[in-house]
């Protein structure tokens, strides 16, 4: 009779050759970055375990929106509120000291709390971490609102410190997207998250007009234009917390998408694994990018008000129109980035940011003087701000792809946000060091812009070299990854 199965034996040369070809083909399925990737409408090559929740992403956009609204509501009235809380016995030096302390303590507590929030979210539910952070923000804003009535400026400082801890959850949305959204859609979704902040800055002035009319009592607390922003923000984020708890879907656990946990769960082993992830060239390039462009943007933002005051005599209202126009520009360009994100690679979009940064610095060095017309200032400002949509969301997206297999998404994204904060701190310091006096021909901060141009050009060169190297590697692996013809391989052996 005919045997049902061939006897077991050692594999043939042909079987070994086919296995090697299959391994080469499997290697091509690793997440390589192409220079141009056309969206053919097909399915994602590595879909997640379940479709991501668009409602959850919308809720996370509201988190960023509320952060921007808080910033635009508190900042215009903070100085006057400290004067009111301090009373007549407060000297000008005390007022300025407390104003600076209120600004710095918010940034400091947020900076320190971000890695802790990221570490927590890698180990427990997102809703629980959001509940903790937003509860801190609610308590901080309520404390802020009571400070003026009690005439206790220290309550303003404490309230801003608690609010800073609450706003440390800003990086959690990026780790959520990294764990739930397919790579093909990730840049567009992160761009949508980035759009929320300028939208909040646009809504802020409208809400300021509302709080300026406040003049009533709430449970015995006098509510005026000074403390109304704190109560309004506390009410808004309380509604946001209820929405998060009711509507946000938890991402799949790491065990479902990232395999088993690596051996060695001690503190030393965990720090070593985290350091090795950050030291990877693709990851380190993303960290350097977010630091540089935050330094670039914050140095420019710190320069706008002195320039407009000295050159055009602008006051607060005119400067608000400048920032409004900038926000509209960023929104429109972000929509363009969302369109192109599925058609070109993240690296190419970041290269566009580098080109915009170098070109804007060259324009400003050539045309900006203290005697320039208004259109020259607006053109230079528009060129410099055009960097934002191309630099931040694509860089976040490629960072999430570079760390896609990590079980520390929350902590890594939080460290990215902390590095952005460092850039935001260094930027104004860099401006102060290199602003200098006007040159004889009236040029504005030529040394500062020359330094920014040099740093952005160096980053652009790094990006271009990385793009070229990835193109060479991708082409070589595609050539080596084809399955050989069996007969030809049989003849060669």
């Amino acid at each position: 009779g005919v045997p049902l199965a061939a006897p077991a034996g050692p594999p043939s040369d042909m079987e070994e050759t086919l296995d090697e070809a299959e391994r080469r083909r499997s290697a091509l399925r690793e997440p390589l970055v192409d220079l141009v990737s056309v969206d053919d409408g097909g399915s994602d090559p590595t879909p997640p375990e379940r479709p991501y929740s668009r409602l959850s992403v919308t809720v996370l956009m509201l988190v960023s929106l509320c952060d921007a609204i808080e910033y635009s509501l508190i900042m215009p009235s903070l100085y006057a509120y400290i004067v009111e809380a301090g009373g007549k016995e407060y000297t000008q030096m005390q007022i300025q000291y407390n104003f600076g302390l209120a600004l710095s303590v918010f940034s400091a507590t947020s900076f320190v709390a971000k890695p802790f929030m990221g570490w927590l979210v890698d180990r427990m539910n997102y809703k629980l971490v959001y509940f903790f952070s937003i509860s801190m923000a609610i308590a901080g804003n309520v404390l802020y609102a009571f400070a003026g009535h009690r005439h206790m400026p220290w309550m303003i400082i404490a309230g801003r410190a608690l609010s800073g801890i609450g706003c440390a959850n800003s990086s959690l949305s990026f780790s959520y997207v990294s764990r739930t959204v397919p790579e093909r859609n990730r840049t567009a979704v992160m761009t949508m998250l980035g759009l929320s902040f300028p939208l909040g800055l646009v809504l802020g002035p409208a809400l300021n007009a509302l709080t300026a009319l406040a003049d009533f009592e709430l449970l015995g607390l006098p509510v005026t234009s000074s403390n109304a922003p704190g109560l309004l923000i506390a009410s808004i984020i309380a509604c946001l917390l209820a929405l998060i708890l009711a509507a946000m879907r938890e991402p799949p656990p790491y065990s479902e998408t990232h395999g088993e946990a690596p051996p060695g769960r001690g503190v030393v082993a965990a720090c070593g694994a985290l350091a090795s992830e950050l030291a990877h060239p693709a990851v380190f390039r993303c960290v350097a990018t977010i630091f540089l462009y935050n330094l670039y943007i914050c140095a420019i933002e710190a320069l706008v008000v002195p320039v407009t005051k000295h050159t055009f005599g602008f006051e607060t209202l005119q400067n608000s129109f400048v920032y409004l126009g900038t926000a509209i520009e960023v929104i429109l360009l972000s929509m363009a980035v969302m369109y192109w994100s599925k058609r070109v690679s993240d690296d190419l979009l970041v290269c566009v940011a580098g080109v915009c940064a170098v070109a804007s610095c060259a324009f400003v060095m050539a045309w900006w003087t203290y005697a320039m017309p208004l259109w020259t200032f607006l053109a230079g400002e528009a060129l410099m701000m055009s960097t934002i949509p191309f630099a931040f969301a694509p860089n976040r997206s490629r960072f999430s792809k570079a760390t896609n297999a990590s079980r520390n998404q929350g902590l890594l994204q939080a460290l990215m946000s902390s590095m952005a904060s460092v850039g935001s701190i260094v930027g104004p310091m860099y401006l102060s060091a290199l602003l200098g006096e006007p040159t004889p021909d009236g040029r504005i901060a030529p040394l500062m812009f020359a330094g920014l141009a040099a740093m952005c050009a160096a980053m652009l060169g790094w990006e271009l070299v990385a793009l070229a190297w990835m193109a060479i590697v991708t082409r070589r692996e595609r050539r080596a990854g084809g399955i050989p013809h069996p007969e030809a391989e049989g003849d060669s052996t």
Side-chain angles (χ1 to χ4, degrees):
V2 179
L4 295 177
S12 64
D13 292 341
M14 181 61 66
E15 289 173 338
E16 290 179 350
T17 301
L18 291 177
D19 287 343
E20 292 175 1
E22 180 62 26
R23 284 196 297 271
R24 288 198 301 267
R25 187 173 65 178
S26 298
L28 291 177
R29 299 192 187 106
E30 297 295 322
L32 297 174
V33 181
D34 296 327
L35 289 180
V36 177
S37 56
V38 180
D39 180 18
D40 57 0
S43 60
D44 190 77
T46 56
E49 294 290 328
R50 53 180 176 172
Y52 73 94
S53 170
R54 297 180 186 275
L55 177 60
S56 299
V57 172
T58 304
V59 171
L60 295 178
M61 289 178 63
L62 294 177
V63 175
S64 179
L65 183 74
C66 289
D67 287 345
I69 290 175
E70 178 176 1
Y71 176 84
S72 57
L73 273 177
I74 297 296
M75 285 301 296
S77 60
L78 178 59
Y79 188 87
Y81 192 39
I82 291 176
V83 174
E84 177 185 326
K88 295 181 180 180
E89 65 274 10
Y90 246 45
T91 65
Q92 185 66 27
M93 182 173 295
Q94 289 175 307
I95 292 171
Q96 293 177 352
Y97 171 79
N98 281 277
F99 179 69
L101 186 59
L103 294 177
S104 60
V105 75
F106 177 88
S107 301
T109 55
S110 180
F111 175 78
V112 172
K114 279 177 182 177
F116 177 67
M117 295 285 182
W119 180 83
L120 281 180
V121 86
D122 286 328
R123 288 156 178 81
M124 58 180 62
N125 292 340
Y126 271 75
K127 290 182 180 180
L128 187 59
V129 179
Y130 272 115
F131 177 80
F132 167 74
S133 61
I134 295 179
S135 297
M136 297 289 283
I138 293 172
N141 280 286
V142 171
L143 189 63
Y144 176 90
F146 275 89
H149 177 61
R150 300 290 183 181
H151 296 289
M152 295 180 178
W154 67 265
M155 292 177 65
I156 296 178
I157 310 300
R160 297 309 293 158
L162 291 175
S163 297
I165 296 174
C167 288
N169 62 22
S170 58
S171 64
L172 303 185
S173 56
F174 296 108
S175 65
Y176 184 91
V177 170
S178 299
R179 291 175 60 176
T180 59
V181 178
E183 289 188 9
R184 186 187 61 175
N185 302 324
R186 204 169 289 173
T187 305
V189 172
M190 288 191 173
T191 304
M192 290 172 60
L193 292 176
L195 270 175
S196 303
F197 200 85
L199 283 174
L201 295 179
V202 172
L203 291 175
L207 294 175
N208 272 322
L210 180 64
T211 57
L213 302 175
D215 187 13
F216 59 92
E217 284 194 6
L218 180 65
L219 301 177
L221 173 68
V223 179
T224 65
S225 59
S226 299
N227 65 346
L231 291 177
L232 180 59
I233 286 296
S235 303
I236 291 174
I237 59 180
C239 296
L240 175 66
L241 177 58
L243 184 60
I244 289 174
L245 297 177
M248 196 180 82
R249 179 196 295 176
E250 290 290 338
Y254 280 126
S255 58
E256 295 182 13
T257 57
H258 297 76
E260 297 298 325
R265 297 187 181 182
V267 175
V268 176
C271 292
L274 183 65
S276 64
E277 289 177 335
L278 292 172
H280 190 278
V283 175
F284 183 76
R285 184 157 47 96
C286 295
V287 174
T289 298
I290 199 170
F291 168 78
L292 173 63
Y293 285 112
N294 270 278
L295 185 156
Y296 169 85
I297 293 298
C298 290
I300 291 168
E301 283 184 345
L303 181 65
V304 167
V305 173
V307 168
T308 57
K309 178 69 176 177
H310 188 280
T311 307
F312 309 110
F314 280 6
E315 299 296 338
T316 303
L317 180 61
Q318 291 90 338
N319 284 324
S320 67
F321 286 127
V322 173
Y323 287 119
L324 176 62
T326 298
I328 293 173
E329 177 195 8
V330 170
I331 291 170
L332 294 176
L333 287 177
S334 296
M335 292 179 179
V337 170
M338 290 173 60
Y339 174 80
W340 284 107
S341 63
K342 295 184 180 180
R343 291 160 177 82
V344 300
S345 72
D346 297 326
D347 297 271
L348 199 57
L349 291 172
V350 175
C351 284
V352 174
V355 172
C356 292
V358 175
S360 63
C361 288
F363 178 89
V364 168
M365 285 190 292
W367 295 97
W368 270 24
T369 67
Y370 285 105
M372 62 182 166
L374 180 60
W375 73 266
T376 304
F377 166 76
L378 295 177
E381 179 72 7
L383 273 174
M384 290 185 288
M385 292 299 106
S386 66
T387 307
I388 295 176
F390 295 101
F392 293 113
N395 187 56
R396 281 279 189 177
S397 177
R398 68 178 184 174
F399 178 79
S400 71
K401 295 170 186 176
T403 59
N404 207 38
S406 173
R407 299 173 61 87
N408 299 304
Q409 293 285 336
L411 180 56
L412 288 170
Q413 291 288 352
L415 291 174
M416 274 282 280
S417 295
S418 296
M419 185 55 65
S421 299
V422 173
S424 301
I425 295 169
V426 174
M429 295 170 60
Y430 172 80
L431 167 69
S432 301
L434 295 181
L435 180 59
E437 297 294 330
T439 59
D441 57 354
R443 301 292 174 189
I444 298 175
L447 286 177
M448 187 199 81
F449 283 111
L452 289 177
M455 288 187 285
C456 293
M459 179 61 71
L460 178 59
W462 188 4
E463 296 287 350
L464 292 175
V465 169
L467 272 177
W469 176 252
M470 284 188 289
I472 293 171
V473 171
T474 302
R475 186 175 302 173
R476 286 179 178 176
E477 293 192 358
R478 282 178 172 170
R479 285 179 179 176
I483 300 177
H485 194 279
E487 293 182 0
E489 279 296 62
D491 291 341
S492 65
T493 56

